[in-house]
């Protein structure tokens, strides 16, 4: 890739600007080396961005447009990302650590959101409610206004695309707070907004620390809606701040998701699911398959297969991993890596068996060996806490009811999975899993089209699918009293 420029600014009201809170070093977690500096926004910068977004919204430039035209603009943003696929993927891999081939999938997935939601722009229709001959009554779905979007570092391009595309499609203007650890690739959304001719101020990027820019944005009195993906603690802080201004939130807060593997499961086919489920993005996936609850009759075979997958992975810097294959990059930072390694040590001290991996690798960068823990029991910390790393916990069960109880026995409820050849059993179990999405015989089955979001502490509101559009609009009812003629 081309040389990365040394300093990256924020994007407010169509201009690239310095930040009131200085700069942060952006580190390549595959080498530990500094890539560039990113401007950090303070509360004043956030206010300027919100005022710009508010002004553009109030002009009606997006809302007065025929929806098909707005949809075409949104779709064009996706095409722009694809036209720059290699550049964005290289930058994303560098700052986040993921292999280049994973970064390409992320950028392609981001473009897909703009395609999908852009296509839906003209499908939002109100309804007419009969009130008798004396009235004509109808509803319209209107955008909230300024959508505030606070983005995590694990999939910075895809997460921004997910909320930005839906918000613009429905006619909102947007202030994005990119993650301070992986902010650089988000600059492409500003380039895309300019390339497709969105008015200045319709899309703003204010990277900053969570406790500064993030807190200022979520508590700003002129935002009208907040979307957040990240940790539970931060989600609570954001929802509390938004509540003070009576602003609605979408919270997507991670999970401790379980695959229930029955005695008749196809474990050969399932190897691909384990590979994707817990080792893609070095396990830093909110919907990761972080627990497998396996019938005792297949326990040893499953553990052995999981170990061979973990040990087959070549681990190293994402930039050296160009093509799809058995490989894995670093975690996003040494701090996250050490936290994950600490949780593994704690699991062992509580009686889990470390079957493979578990150690920080003795090379520069934030690498953790792909890890499999067996003999995990439901009350252990590792069975309850989101590791957010390449760490698989294997638990066993005898009766179906026990498997469901274990699967549902955490504070979370993001996704779940059932692996069995018996469709009746799969359906019954799927109905009992307390999660927003259940995969049967393929982890991550679904796509941009399928609604995604949590039960319990995994959050509320839905991203993806048509359901997500309802986060960005509010219903207005118009009742007209008619004169009798
Ligand atoms: P975090 O929740 O602190 O950060 C996510 C985003 O929120 C970042 O943009 C951050 O700047 C912002 N933020 C932080 N504090 C804020 C505040 N008070 N107000 C407003 N915005 C704020 O996550 P983290 O500390 O980077 O990671 C910690 C844990 O979060 C991880 O180990 C993982 O369990 C979880 N996580 C989950 C996801 C997910 O996809 N569900 C993504 C990232 C992190």
């Amino acid at each position: 890739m081309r040389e990365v420029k040394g300093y990256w600014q924020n994007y407010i009201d169509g201009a690239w600007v310095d930040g009131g809170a200085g700069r942060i070093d952006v580190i390549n977690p595959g080498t530990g080396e500094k890539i560039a500096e990113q401007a950090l926004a303070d509360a004043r910068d956030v206010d300027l961005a919100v005022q710009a977004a508010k002004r553009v919204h109030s002009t009606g430039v997006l809302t007065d447009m025929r929806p098909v035209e707005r949809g075409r603009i949104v779709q064009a943003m996706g095409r722009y990302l694809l036209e720059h696929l290699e550049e964005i993927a290289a930058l994303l891999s560098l700052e986040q650590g993921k292999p280049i081939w994973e970064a390409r999938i992320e950028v392609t997935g981001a473009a897909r959101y703009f395609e999908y939601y852009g296509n839906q722009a003209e499908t939002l229709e109100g309804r007419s409610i009969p009130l008798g001959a004396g009235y004509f009554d109808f509803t319209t779905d209107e955008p909230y206004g300024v959508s505030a979007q606070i983005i995590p570092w694990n999939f910075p391009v895809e997460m921004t695309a997910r909320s930005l595309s839906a918000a613009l499609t429905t006619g909102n203007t947007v202030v994005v707070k990119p993650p301070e650890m992986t902010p650089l690739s988000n600059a492409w959304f500003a380039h895309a907004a300019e390339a497709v001719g969105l008015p200045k101020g319709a899309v703003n990027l204010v990277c900053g620390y969570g406790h500064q820019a993030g807190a200022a944005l979520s508590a700003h009195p002129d935002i009208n809606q907040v979307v957040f993906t990240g940790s539970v603690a931060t989600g609570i802080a954001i929802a509390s701040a938004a509540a003070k201004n009576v602003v609605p939130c979408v919270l997507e807060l991670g999970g401790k998701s379980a695959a229930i593997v029955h005695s008749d499961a196809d474990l050969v086919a399932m190897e691909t699911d384990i590979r994707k489920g817990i080792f893609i993005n070095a396990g830093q996936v909110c919907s990761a398959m972080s627990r497998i609850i396996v019938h005792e009759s297949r326990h040893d075979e499953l553990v052995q297969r999981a170990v061979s997958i973990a040990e087959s992975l070549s681990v190293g810097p994402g930039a050296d991993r160009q093509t799809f294959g058995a490989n894995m990059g670093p975690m996003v930072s040494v701090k996250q890596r050490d936290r994950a390694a600490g949780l593994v040590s704690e699991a062992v001290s509580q009686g889990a068996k470390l079957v493979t991996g578990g150690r920080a690798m003795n090379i520069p960068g934030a690498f953790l060996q792909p890890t499999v823990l067996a003999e995990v029991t439901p009350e252990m910390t590792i069975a309850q806490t989101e590791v957010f790393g390449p760490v698989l916990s294997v638990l066993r069960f005898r009766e179906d009811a026990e498997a469901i109880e274990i699967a549902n026995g955490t504070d979370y409820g993001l996704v779940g999975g059932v692996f069995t050849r018996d469709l009746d059993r799969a359906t019954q179990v799927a109905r009992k899993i307390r999660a927003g999405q259940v995969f049967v015989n393929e982890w991550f089955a679904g796509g941009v089209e399928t609604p995604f979001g949590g039960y319990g502490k995994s959050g509320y509101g839905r991203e993806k699918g048509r359901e997500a559009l309802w986060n960005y609009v509010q219903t207005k009812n118009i009742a007209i009293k008619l004169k009798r003629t």
Side-chain angles (χ1 to χ4, degrees):
M1 78 177 277
R2 275 189 242 149
E3 202 177 321
V4 177
K5 72 176 177 193
Y7 173 48
W8 297 62
Q9 292 169 300
N10 283 323
Y11 184 72
I12 300 175
D13 207 359
W16 293 98
V17 293
D18 292 338
R23 300 178 181 197
I24 188 173
D25 290 348
V26 181
I27 305 295
N28 176 351
T31 60
E33 287 163 7
K34 176 172 160 182
I35 306 167
E37 291 176 12
Q38 164 69 46
L40 288 173
D42 63 6
R44 185 177 161 276
D45 299 324
V46 168
D47 181 54
L48 291 172
V50 172
Q51 295 313 331
K54 185 179 172 185
R55 185 198 72 238
V56 175
H57 181 68
S58 66
T59 64
V61 61
L62 292 179
T63 42
D64 293 349
M65 200 179 268
R66 195 162 175 152
V68 66
E69 288 172 26
R70 208 167 53 234
R72 284 182 186 136
I73 291 173
V74 172
Q75 289 180 49
M77 286 182 75
R79 287 196 298 275
Y80 181 87
L81 296 181
L82 289 179
E83 282 159 18
H84 298 275
L85 171 65
E86 290 303 328
E87 282 162 277
I88 306 171
L91 184 62
L92 173 61
S93 166
L94 211 56
E95 65 175 340
Q96 204 278 340
K98 63 188 72 195
I100 294 267
W101 64 268
E102 286 189 22
R104 281 193 202 105
I105 292 174
E106 178 168 344
V107 178
T108 310
R112 175 83 181 101
Y113 280 107
F114 288 94
E115 179 187 38
Y116 177 74
Y117 284 117
N119 260 324
Q120 311 257 339
E122 56 189 329
T123 68
L124 279 185
E125 295 168 340
R127 63 192 178 111
S128 175
I129 299 168
L131 293 177
Y135 298 91
F136 175 56
D137 185 283
F138 64 99
T139 66
T140 58
D141 295 311
E142 298 189 343
Y144 276 105
V146 178
S147 172
Q149 310 188 345
I150 299 176
I151 307 299
W153 42 258
N154 57 340
F155 290 97
V157 174
E158 203 163 338
M159 297 298 94
T160 300
R162 187 166 81 177
S163 41
L164 180 60
S165 58
L168 290 173
T169 289
T170 42
N172 296 273
T173 55
V174 183
V175 178
V176 177
K177 207 295 279 171
E180 57 271 40
M181 271 193 287
T182 58
L184 307 183
S185 44
N186 258 248
W188 283 97
F189 293 107
H191 299 319
E194 281 181 358
V196 303
L198 276 170
K200 290 180 177 170
V203 175
N204 305 272
L205 303 173
V206 282
C207 180
Y209 288 123
H211 66 271
Q212 281 183 326
L217 182 58
S218 54
H220 199 290
D222 288 328
I223 62 162
N224 305 109
Q225 187 252 9
V226 189
V227 184
F228 171 69
T229 302
S231 62
V232 176
T234 305
I236 293 169
I238 287 171
S240 306
K244 293 202 174 107
N245 291 317
V246 198
V247 163
C249 296
V250 179
L251 299 181
E252 204 268 89
L253 307 180
K256 191 72 202 178
S257 303
I260 298 177
V261 180
H262 289 279
S263 54
D264 62 348
D266 179 349
L267 294 192
V268 176
M270 205 191 155
E271 286 192 359
T272 308
D273 300 287
I274 297 174
R275 158 83 190 87
K276 278 190 303 189
I278 190 63
F279 297 124
I280 204 147
N281 208 32
Q284 301 161 115
V285 183
C286 48
S287 50
M289 183 203 275
S290 53
R291 294 181 296 156
I292 291 182
I293 306 166
V294 57
H295 190 264
E296 58 177 1
S297 63
R298 307 295 297 282
H299 175 272
D300 294 354
E301 181 190 349
L302 183 128
V303 170
Q304 185 245 312
R305 287 183 189 277
V307 167
S308 62
I309 293 161
E311 292 179 351
S312 74
L313 298 177
S314 122
V315 182
D320 301 343
R321 276 144 185 78
Q322 286 281 339
T323 51
F324 172 80
N327 55 50
M328 191 181 87
M331 294 184 62
V332 75
S333 67
V334 168
K335 188 173 161 213
Q336 282 293 318
R337 190 269 313 274
D338 290 348
R339 176 181 172 274
L343 283 163
V344 173
S345 302
E346 188 178 350
V348 172
S349 72
Q350 291 179 355
K353 185 174 162 199
L354 182 60
V355 205
T356 190
R359 287 195 186 80
M361 290 167 65
N362 194 18
I363 51 175
F367 295 97
L368 182 70
Q369 296 169 331
T371 303
V372 178
L373 288 161
E375 310 305 341
V376 174
T377 52
E379 72 291 349
M380 288 179 186
T381 310
I382 197 80
Q384 297 291 331
T385 308
E386 185 178 42
V387 177
F388 228 62
V391 179
L392 174 66
S393 294
V394 182
L395 300 88
R396 43 171 110 215
F397 76 93
R398 285 201 187 117
E399 307 296 334
D400 287 14
E402 185 191 358
I404 292 160
E405 195 184 324
I406 298 170
N408 290 342
T410 74
D411 289 342
Y412 293 106
L414 192 55
V415 304
V418 191
F419 289 79
T420 175
R421 292 183 162 97
D422 180 341
L423 193 55
D424 293 325
R425 173 184 255 161
T427 310
Q428 299 296 0
V429 173
R431 285 192 173 142
K432 288 180 183 147
I433 291 178
R434 282 187 44 75
Q437 191 169 29
V438 180
F439 309 124
V440 176
N441 291 333
E442 187 188 83
W443 200 262
F444 296 139
V448 169
E449 309 91 329
T450 50
F452 172 73
Y455 281 30
K457 290 223 165 55
S458 289
Y460 48 74
R462 293 291 175 267
E463 296 276 22
K464 300 184 171 179
R466 274 187 70 74
E467 281 76 1
L469 290 174
W470 306 122
N471 300 325
Y472 300 90
V473 293
Q474 49 197 338
T475 300
K476 176 182 282 179
N477 189 84
I478 299 177
I480 304 172
K481 172 86 178 93
L482 300 176
K483 276 198 184 135
R484 286 199 181 268
T485 52

